Amino acid sequence: SRLIKDLLIRRTQLLEMQTMEKNRLQILPKALHRSINSLLKSLKTQIDSITKQIDEAVMQVKHWRTKTEILTSVPGVGKVLAYTLLSELPELGRLNRKEIAALVGVAPMNRESGSYNGKRRIRGGRHRIRTVMFMAMLSSIQCNPVFKRFYEHLKAQGKLPKVAIIACMRKLIVVLNTLLKNEERWCEKTA
């Protein structure tokens, strides 16, 4: 578990470095492009190597392999999200829907005190999971009809796009929690 978590962190660091170099490629003069392209090629090789190590480590542990298969059965949930959830959120499948949403940081929290009534906002939770889930949800909205309908429904009600995405993330984590709890694979009826 610790090895996979460390490998995921390193993979994220390399991806951030790759993004920085791609940004530099756009703004620096052509004379420096050769150096940047060389570094980008090296970073790609390292990212592929670490991804392969993560896959091998997960395949060696039976319960991780089973949980990964359940999680990735949901359209829009890839290996990176599945591995992140398994390493960063070991409570997944053991808590109720409110607890798991609060733990990830996608549950709306009241901001009220006395007669003051503020807007509900998300806060707290595990930042790394929320970041990976946000990117996965952008994909899920495109390829998963259940989440696409839910997202469009929220937008039709006047919700801002980012608010609708967070609501979809909350629904996704609740669905994943239920699937792991019941040891079931995804079907559209589960959502």
Side-chain angles (χ1 to χ4, degrees):
S1 175
R2 183 70 194 157
L3 172 66
I4 293 170
K5 189 174 183 178
D6 291 341
L7 286 169
L8 283 167
I9 290 170
R10 183 61 185 150
R11 185 179 182 278
T12 303
Q13 292 168 346
L14 291 170
L15 286 170
E16 288 171 0
M17 289 168 50
Q18 184 182 45
T19 302
M20 285 188 258
E21 289 302 313
K22 285 179 180 178
N23 291 341
R24 287 185 188 108
L25 190 63
Q26 293 175 355
I27 59 172
L28 291 176
K30 291 217 184 261
L32 299 172
H33 284 203
R34 188 177 200 176
S35 168
I36 294 170
N37 284 326
S38 170
L39 187 54
L40 282 171
K41 188 175 182 180
S42 173
L43 286 170
K44 172 121 177 66
T45 304
Q46 288 185 37
I47 291 167
D48 292 344
S49 171
I50 286 183
T51 303
K52 186 177 176 185
Q53 289 176 33
I54 294 169
D55 288 338
E56 289 170 358
V58 168
M59 290 304 137
Q60 291 175 0
V61 183
K62 185 179 186 291
H63 71 276
W64 275 64
R65 186 174 56 238
T66 306
K67 287 180 178 183
T68 300
E69 289 169 1
I70 291 170
L71 294 174
T72 55
S73 70
V74 178
V77 175
K79 287 182 178 181
V80 174
L81 177 58
Y83 297 162
T84 303
L85 289 173
L86 292 174
S87 66
E88 300 277 337
L89 194 63
E91 302 89 351
L92 192 64
R94 296 189 207 136
L95 301 176
N96 67 38
R97 62 191 183 95
K98 289 181 180 179
E99 292 169 333
I100 202 70
L103 196 57
V104 172
V106 291
M109 302 287 184
N110 290 335
R111 278 191 81 179
E112 298 175 350
S113 176
S115 63
Y116 174 76
N117 286 330
K119 286 187 175 183
R120 292 176 146 222
R121 299 185 189 276
I122 62 167
R123 65 172 189 240
R126 300 186 181 163
H127 176 72
R128 189 173 296 130
I129 296 171
R130 206 169 43 251
T131 302
V132 175
M133 280 193 70
F134 187 85
M135 297 310 293
M137 186 46 63
L138 294 177
S139 170
S140 286
I141 289 170
Q142 301 299 317
C143 69
N144 190 325
V146 172
F147 290 105
K148 184 173 186 163
R149 278 193 305 269
F150 186 58
Y151 176 74
E152 294 298 331
H153 170 73
L154 291 171
K155 279 184 49 183
Q157 286 184 328
K159 302 289 184 196
L160 295 172
K162 196 169 182 180
V163 172
I165 290 172
I166 299 297
C168 290
M169 287 168 53
R170 183 179 194 281
K171 183 173 179 145
L172 176 63
I173 197 66
V174 168
V175 167
L176 295 175
N177 188 52
T178 305
L179 291 175
L180 280 182
K181 189 179 287 186
N182 300 333
E183 295 183 2
E184 296 174 347
R185 288 180 175 265
W186 166 265
C187 67
E188 285 192 31
K189 294 175 197 166
T190 21

